[in-house]
Amino acid sequence: MNWEDLARELAYTTDSKIVLLVCDGLGGLPVNGKTELETARTPNLDEVARLGVCGLTDPVFMGITPGSGPAHLGLFGYDPLEYQLGRGILEALGSGVEVGRDDVVTRGNFATFKDGLVIDRRAGRIPTEENERLCAILNASLPKQDGVEIQLTPGKEHRFVARFRAQGLSDALSDADPQKDNKPRVPAKATAPEAERTAAIINRFLDDLTALLKNEPKANTALLRGFSKFPSIPQMAELFKIRPAAIANYPMYKGLAKLLGMDVLKVGADPADLFDALEREYAGHDFFYIHYKPTDAAGEDGNFEKKVAAIEAVDKFVPRLLALKPDVLVITSDHSTPAFLGGHSWHPNPFVLVSKNAQPDGVRAFTEIECSKGMLGRFRSLYAMPLMLAHALKLKKYGA
Amino acid sequence: MNWEDLARELAYTTDSKIVLLVCDGLGGLPVNGKTELETARTPNLDEVARLGVCGLTDPVFMGITPGSGPAHLGLFGYDPLEYQLGRGILEALGSGVEVGRDDVVTRGNFATFKDGLVIDRRAGRIPTEENERLCAILNASLPKQDGVEIQLTPGKEHRFVARFRAQGLSDALSDADPQKDNKPRVPAKATAPEAERTAAIINRFLDDLTALLKNEPKANTALLRGFSKFPSIPQMAELFKIRPAAIANYPMYKGLAKLLGMDVLKVGADPADLFDALEREYAGHDFFYIHYKPTDAAGEDGNFEKKVAAIEAVDKFVPRLLALKPDVLVITSDHSTPAFLGGHSWHPNPFVLVSKNAQPDGVRAFTEIECSKGMLGRFRSLYAMPLMLAHALKLKKYGA
């Protein structure tokens, strides 16, 4: 019996409310002796640390650097070693492509085809504007296939997302990609009989695209990789008996939330909009996931000062969370993004949980080291959800 | 998906270097209020604790006292609950017997046979010199079997290791041991059809041995237990994409390292030779396992003062490790050996990791209690390898 089985057995609906603020990439590493969190002035986060019980979380396990998908899955109570989201679906979500249960999505590259060979799998990294122009042409001009809707969404440079919408599609397909330059084009192949029709649709699409673009100097064909359907993953409402809402202003996180059955609330682009939405919609749900991106963005840029500023900026919103008096408030991150490394890392996440049913543990600052002294110790992010539900009195006793 | 699967997916080769110093049996228990580590003067180990991030490890899980095999497997990134090394192979490695992929090895006892019964399964614990004399006779005089090479290596008192080398041997064999005194001799039996020929070779050997020794007063037959082939275990180079070297001066640890595909470096018997070898061979590998035995030996003797001295002795070599500036330096032990208990124990191991990609956590002394306050918390030794690879930037991101 694992956590998922236990959740199905023990979770039940109550009026209590849980607020989970994810400051993306919050944890860091010292530069001049102090981490971003240690450098930032964070009177409100420190107050939360004093009010709550603290710890450090590992998103997957010690030493593993997670992508955003696995890192969030863990926080939402799904074992990221069990649920793996395909590259196509994540790329689609990250590009803001709406994915339904009948769709197959895939990553695409524009490529250069000459004398029967793919001579450049990235079409010389054409400018993004070129990519946008080509996707517009293709969306307007691709020959119709019966009962099939195809939509291309441009990404950066030569990258795009293709969405195929039709009844009965399957993602049991090999990549339509020769993997190396100077090889012939490769069709998608069905790896299971039920995908034969999908393969035919996709290969017809690739031929149509290649015909339409035959006079383009560089981007005159395309490769497709990572075919994915909407993953079949238990919904949060069903597993945890909650009515979850997602408050995020980046497509990737909205898409992830949608995969898990959260209501994705309408939010503007400004961080303040997150907290406005929470206050506005507070009555209608009992679990709120708020995603704050600037901490991660600054870390990815390797910009220590900008990350410090992003932390100080989110700190100012914290009193608004406390003012709502949720039964459980958790502030943490999905993974660390030290500016020192300029990318996601394996370092653990500061974690604080405030609840009248929790014991404050004497931690007085919301930093990596101080959280490591908290009563929650160091634990997998997977246990964040049982802890939140438990402190909100949403879990029954296990056994008699 | 477990760590091994993840390692295959995420590990990649870089130039960064990892040095792992295993002070065997380092952790202890208080005598007169202080453990061996707390009693020893260890300015250099304490400096390493200040520079690094600390924790405590459980080799298997809490409460389990490991042998050297499981304890080391865990540290090298192999789950000791999944990989179990046969007693025969460990005894062979511990006796310095070279084991190849075609060999079957087994533990042996000289025993006393009279009137059709094994009347003493340990041959009155004959002196080791007697054992050595008998093994020499047998190695010289055993009748040849076609295509089979048999070698006995004496151990202490009545114990030896037998190695059978031939094409197509199998270790699917029951023990050739009546288990109790005053029972008839028992042949090895094949527990799978492919072991029939091996059983015949071994039983012929036992009969030949018994015939050769028929005039010995005590040691006039032998029992064989724990038949093992070279275990099939993934190699470190393949799993972790590293070029590992083992620097050890005891046969058991060299043998274990060989099982995992490490290059076993030539080292003299003196502890200083370990560090000479590291400096000499530093360019040729990217992962160095250094095994320091005196801490365990003193603990096994129940000699607290000797263990303190062994700790102070290894402390003096620590600056040579730091001088190499490895990307990752870990100092820990495989298991604890408190002098108070005079043997291996289940107590956790002090652990410190130094890397520019790690956050020093304020721990100022390398002792059991101080390490328990470190940011790594308490964790299974199995996570030492992901942590080392991660801090050396040898692991890619998991998922997108």
Side-chain angles (χ1 to χ4, degrees):
Chain A
M1 191 169 248
N2 60 17
W3 157 234
E4 198 173 311
D5 300 326
L6 273 186
R8 283 181 202 280
E9 183 180 321
L10 304 182
Y12 68 108
T13 302
T14 70
D15 289 336
S16 58
K17 288 184 188 282
I18 298 170
V19 172
L20 166 64
L21 171 61
V22 177
C23 300
D24 200 312
L26 184 60
L29 279 174
V31 169
N32 298 322
K34 284 185 176 178
T35 67
E36 296 90 324
L37 270 170
E38 289 169 344
T39 305
R41 288 196 60 255
T42 55
N44 299 303
L45 287 168
D46 294 346
E47 173 66 10
V48 170
R50 275 191 290 273
L51 292 172
V53 57
C54 296
L56 287 177
T57 68
D58 289 290
V60 180
F61 54 73
M62 290 175 116
I64 303 302
T65 298
S68 298
H72 271 83
L73 282 178
L75 267 181
F76 295 145
Y78 297 82
D79 191 334
L81 293 170
E82 187 176 342
Y83 294 101
Q84 286 160 52
L85 301 177
R87 283 306 225 134
I89 194 83
L90 286 171
E91 194 87 2
L93 298 176
S95 306
V97 175
E98 189 225 333
V99 185
R101 293 186 186 268
D102 283 337
D103 303 344
V104 164
V105 291
T106 176
R107 294 189 289 171
N109 275 9
F110 285 112
T112 310
F113 185 56
K114 198 180 166 194
D115 301 334
L117 298 177
V118 175
I119 61 168
D120 183 345
R121 289 173 63 250
R122 293 179 185 84
R125 295 188 184 275
I126 51 167
T128 301
E129 304 75 49
E130 269 292 283
N131 180 340
E132 289 167 354
R133 180 180 65 83
L134 297 173
C135 285
I137 290 172
L138 292 163
N139 284 331
S141 314
L142 276 169
K144 295 282 167 222
Q145 298 193 46
D146 258 5
V148 183
E149 191 188 309
I150 300 174
Q151 187 203 296
L152 302 193
T153 303
K156 296 228 181 300
E157 300 178 333
H158 53 287
R159 302 179 192 89
F160 62 86
V161 170
R163 186 187 68 191
F164 302 87
R165 177 168 288 174
Q167 293 289 316
L169 296 185
S170 164
D171 61 2
L173 297 163
S174 64
D175 291 347
D177 181 345
Q179 308 293 344
K180 285 184 181 168
D181 286 343
N182 300 312
K183 304 254 181 186
R185 284 174 54 206
V186 168
K189 290 189 200 78
T191 57
E194 68 269 21
E196 294 290 357
R197 179 172 151 257
T198 316
I201 291 169
I202 284 164
N203 292 326
R204 160 101 188 271
F205 155 77
L206 284 170
D207 291 342
D208 290 344
L209 173 149
T210 306
L212 274 168
L213 302 183
K214 67 174 186 293
N215 294 324
E216 291 292 328
K218 291 179 176 169
N220 61 0
T221 193
L223 318 175
L224 301 177
R225 287 179 295 157
F227 295 100
S228 321
K229 287 206 75 169
F230 196 96
S232 137
I233 188 163
Q235 304 294 283
M236 290 177 83
E238 171 211 340
L239 268 185
F240 307 130
K241 313 295 191 298
I242 52 178
R243 286 170 303 153
I247 306 176
N249 39 32
Y250 278 69
M252 168 83 155
Y253 309 94
K254 292 194 219 180
L256 259 168
K258 196 184 141 199
L259 287 184
L260 306 176
M262 292 196 219
D263 286 334
V264 178
L265 305 187
K266 265 203 128 47
V267 189
D270 193 87
D273 295 336
L274 302 169
F275 300 89
D276 293 348
L278 174 68
E279 289 161 357
R280 190 179 69 235
E281 307 275 357
Y282 196 63
H285 297 81
D286 57 3
F287 179 93
F288 299 88
Y289 153 57
I290 306 166
H291 182 261
Y292 179 77
K293 180 73 176 173
T295 32
D296 178 62
E300 293 264 12
D301 290 346
N303 190 329
F304 190 92
E305 291 309 322
K306 192 172 157 198
K307 188 167 163 194
V308 168
I311 292 168
E312 293 183 345
V314 77
D315 184 76
K316 294 190 170 52
F317 293 111
V318 168
R320 292 174 64 177
L321 301 179
L322 290 169
L324 288 170
K325 300 192 197 307
D327 297 273
V328 171
L329 168 64
V330 164
I331 303 179
T332 188
S333 51
D334 50 345
H335 55 75
S336 291
T337 308
F340 179 73
L341 292 171
H344 291 201
S345 81
W346 62 91
H347 298 88
N349 305 294
F351 183 99
V352 58
L353 183 152
V354 180
S355 161
K356 72 175 194 304
N357 302 317
Q359 180 178 3
D361 54 11
V363 171
R364 303 179 66 76
F366 193 61
T367 66
E368 296 85 355
I369 286 184
E370 293 309 309
C371 282
S372 82
K373 300 174 185 164
M375 270 182 76
L376 293 174
R378 186 155 171 167
F379 60 105
R380 286 188 72 196
S381 301
L382 183 59
Y383 299 110
M385 182 58 75
L387 283 170
M388 289 187 282
L389 294 173
H391 284 87
L393 305 183
K394 289 179 188 291
L395 288 181
K396 285 181 285 196
K397 186 161 64 177
Y398 170 60
Chain B
M1 189 167 247
N2 60 18
W3 158 233
E4 199 174 310
D5 298 325
L6 272 189
R8 283 181 202 279
E9 183 180 321
L10 304 181
Y12 68 107
T13 302
T14 70
D15 289 336
S16 57
K17 289 185 188 280
I18 298 171
V19 172
L20 166 64
L21 170 60
V22 177
C23 300
D24 201 312
L26 183 61
L29 278 175
V31 169
N32 299 321
K34 283 184 176 180
T35 68
E36 297 89 325
L37 270 170
E38 289 167 345
T39 305
R41 287 196 61 255
T42 54
N44 299 305
L45 287 168
D46 295 345
E47 172 68 9
V48 169
R50 275 191 289 274
L51 293 172
V53 58
C54 297
L56 287 178
T57 67
D58 290 289
V60 181
F61 52 73
M62 291 175 112
I64 304 302
T65 298
S68 298
H72 272 82
L73 281 178
L75 268 181
F76 295 146
Y78 296 81
D79 192 335
L81 293 170
E82 186 176 343
Y83 293 100
Q84 285 161 50
L85 300 177
R87 283 305 234 143
I89 193 84
L90 284 173
E91 196 86 2
L93 298 176
S95 306
V97 175
E98 188 225 334
V99 184
R101 293 186 186 269
D102 282 338
D103 302 344
V104 165
V105 291
T106 175
R107 293 189 289 170
N109 276 10
F110 286 112
T112 311
F113 184 56
K114 197 178 167 195
D115 302 333
L117 298 177
V118 175
I119 61 168
D120 183 345
R121 290 173 61 253
R122 294 179 183 82
R125 294 186 183 277
I126 52 168
T128 301
E129 305 74 49
E130 269 292 283
N131 180 341
E132 288 168 353
R133 181 180 65 81
L134 297 173
C135 285
I137 291 171
L138 292 164
N139 284 331
S141 313
L142 275 169
K144 296 279 169 225
Q145 297 192 46
D146 257 4
V148 183
E149 191 188 309
I150 300 175
Q151 186 202 296
L152 303 194
T153 303
K156 297 234 180 294
E157 301 177 332
H158 53 287
R159 301 179 193 90
F160 63 85
V161 170
R163 186 187 68 192
F164 302 87
R165 177 168 287 175
Q167 293 289 317
L169 296 185
S170 164
D171 60 3
L173 297 161
S174 64
D175 290 348
D177 182 347
Q179 308 294 346
K180 285 185 182 168
D181 285 344
N182 301 312
K183 303 255 180 184
R185 283 174 55 206
V186 169
K189 291 190 199 79
T191 57
E194 68 268 21
E196 293 291 357
R197 178 169 154 259
T198 316
I201 290 168
I202 284 165
N203 293 325
R204 160 100 190 271
F205 156 77
L206 284 170
D207 291 344
D208 290 344
L209 174 149
T210 306
L212 273 169
L213 302 184
K214 66 175 187 295
N215 294 324
E216 291 293 328
K218 291 180 175 167
N220 62 358
T221 192
L223 319 176
L224 301 178
R225 288 178 295 155
F227 296 99
S228 320
K229 287 205 74 167
F230 197 95
S232 137
I233 188 164
Q235 304 293 285
M236 290 178 82
E238 171 210 339
L239 268 186
F240 307 131
K241 312 294 189 299
I242 52 178
R243 286 172 302 155
I247 305 177
N249 40 32
Y250 278 69
M252 168 82 154
Y253 309 94
K254 293 194 217 181
L256 258 169
K258 196 184 140 201
L259 286 185
L260 306 177
M262 292 196 219
D263 285 336
V264 178
L265 303 187
K266 266 203 127 51
V267 188
D270 192 87
D273 295 336
L274 301 170
F275 301 88
D276 292 348
L278 174 69
E279 289 161 357
R280 190 178 68 236
E281 307 275 357
Y282 195 63
H285 298 81
D286 57 2
F287 179 93
F288 299 88
Y289 153 57
I290 306 166
H291 182 261
Y292 179 77
K293 179 75 175 171
T295 32
D296 179 62
E300 293 265 11
D301 290 347
N303 190 329
F304 190 94
E305 290 311 321
K306 192 172 157 200
K307 188 166 163 195
V308 168
I311 292 168
E312 292 183 346
V314 76
D315 183 77
K316 293 188 171 51
F317 294 111
V318 168
R320 293 174 64 177
L321 301 180
L322 289 171
L324 289 170
K325 300 193 198 306
D327 297 273
V328 171
L329 169 63
V330 165
I331 302 179
T332 187
S333 50
D334 50 344
H335 55 75
S336 291
T337 307
F340 179 75
L341 292 171
H344 290 202
S345 80
W346 62 92
H347 299 88
N349 305 294
F351 183 99
V352 58
L353 183 154
V354 180
S355 162
K356 73 174 195 306
N357 301 317
Q359 179 178 5
D361 54 9
V363 171
R364 301 177 68 77
F366 193 61
T367 66
E368 296 85 353
I369 287 184
E370 292 308 310
C371 282
S372 81
K373 300 173 186 165
M375 267 183 78
L376 293 174
R378 186 154 172 170
F379 60 104
R380 288 188 68 195
S381 301
L382 183 58
Y383 298 109
M385 183 58 76
L387 282 171
M388 289 188 282
L389 294 174
H391 284 89
L393 305 183
K394 289 180 189 290
L395 288 181
K396 285 180 285 197
K397 188 160 67 174
Y398 171 59

